[in-house]
Amino acid sequence: MSKLSRIEMLQSFAEQEPENPFNWYALALEYQNSYPENAATLFHKLLKEHKGYLPTYYHAAHFFAEYGDLDLAKTIYEEGIVLAEQEKQEKTLRELKNSYQNFLFENDLGD
């Protein structure tokens, strides 16, 4: 399946079920490398309209860090860690904390 047809398929799913955060999340991940501005828009949408969708936080934080928005990435990591703690998602919490620590170290943002 070509990249474009995959994007078109995911876009169609998102339009058919706009309340399902997974569709927007999958589309954002698909856009990351080829269409970063579209990915940014979708990550913002997810973080605003689907705050409880935990998978977004790791990928959105990493994405914004890669594109140099370190303040936003830091905030997203911190919000994701709080959400993971509230939902008692131990595996996700560990992944977010580890990634956050690496992010702080790599960007010399230690507390």
Side-chain angles (χ1 to χ4, degrees), residues 51-66:
K51 291 182 190 298
Y53 192 65
L54 193 52
T56 301
Y57 291 85
Y58 174 87
H59 290 284
H62 187 269
F63 172 83
F64 288 112
E66 287 288 304

Side-chain angles (χ1 to χ4, degrees), residues 7 9-32 38-47 49-50 53 56:
I7 286 174
M9 182 184 69
L10 291 168
Q11 183 71 45
S12 173
F13 291 157
E15 289 166 3
Q16 289 169 24
E17 289 186 291
E19 72 289 346
N20 183 343
F22 176 78
N23 294 326
W24 298 112
Y25 170 76
L27 193 54
L29 294 182
E30 197 64 35
Y31 277 143
Q32 280 184 117
N38 293 14
T41 298
L42 291 177
F43 281 133
H44 282 297
K45 175 184 180 62
L46 282 158
L47 293 165
E49 298 175 15
H50 301 283
Y53 192 65
T56 301

Side-chain angles (χ1 to χ4, degrees), residues 11-104:
Q11 183 71 45
S12 173
F13 291 157
E15 289 166 3
Q16 289 169 24
E17 289 186 291
E19 72 289 346
N20 183 343
F22 176 78
N23 294 326
W24 298 112
Y25 170 76
L27 193 54
L29 294 182
E30 197 64 35
Y31 277 143
Q32 280 184 117
N33 297 320
S34 308
Y35 305 98
E37 58 288 336
N38 293 14
T41 298
L42 291 177
F43 281 133
H44 282 297
K45 175 184 180 62
L46 282 158
L47 293 165
K48 182 177 181 213
E49 298 175 15
H50 301 283
K51 291 182 190 298
Y53 192 65
L54 193 52
T56 301
Y57 291 85
Y58 174 87
H59 290 284
H62 187 269
F63 172 83
F64 288 112
E66 287 288 304
Y67 282 91
D69 194 339
L70 302 183
D71 290 338
L72 179 57
K74 187 174 190 288
T75 299
I76 294 168
Y77 274 123
E78 291 166 353
E79 290 174 355
I81 288 168
V82 168
L83 181 62
E85 286 172 341
Q86 290 171 344
E87 293 190 359
K88 298 182 178 14
Q89 296 290 329
E90 297 301 323
K91 182 176 183 284
T92 303
L93 179 60
R94 274 193 312 276
E95 290 171 355
L96 279 166
K97 283 184 171 181
N98 287 340
S99 186
Y100 181 56
Q101 290 304 315
N102 289 336
F103 162 80
L104 292 174

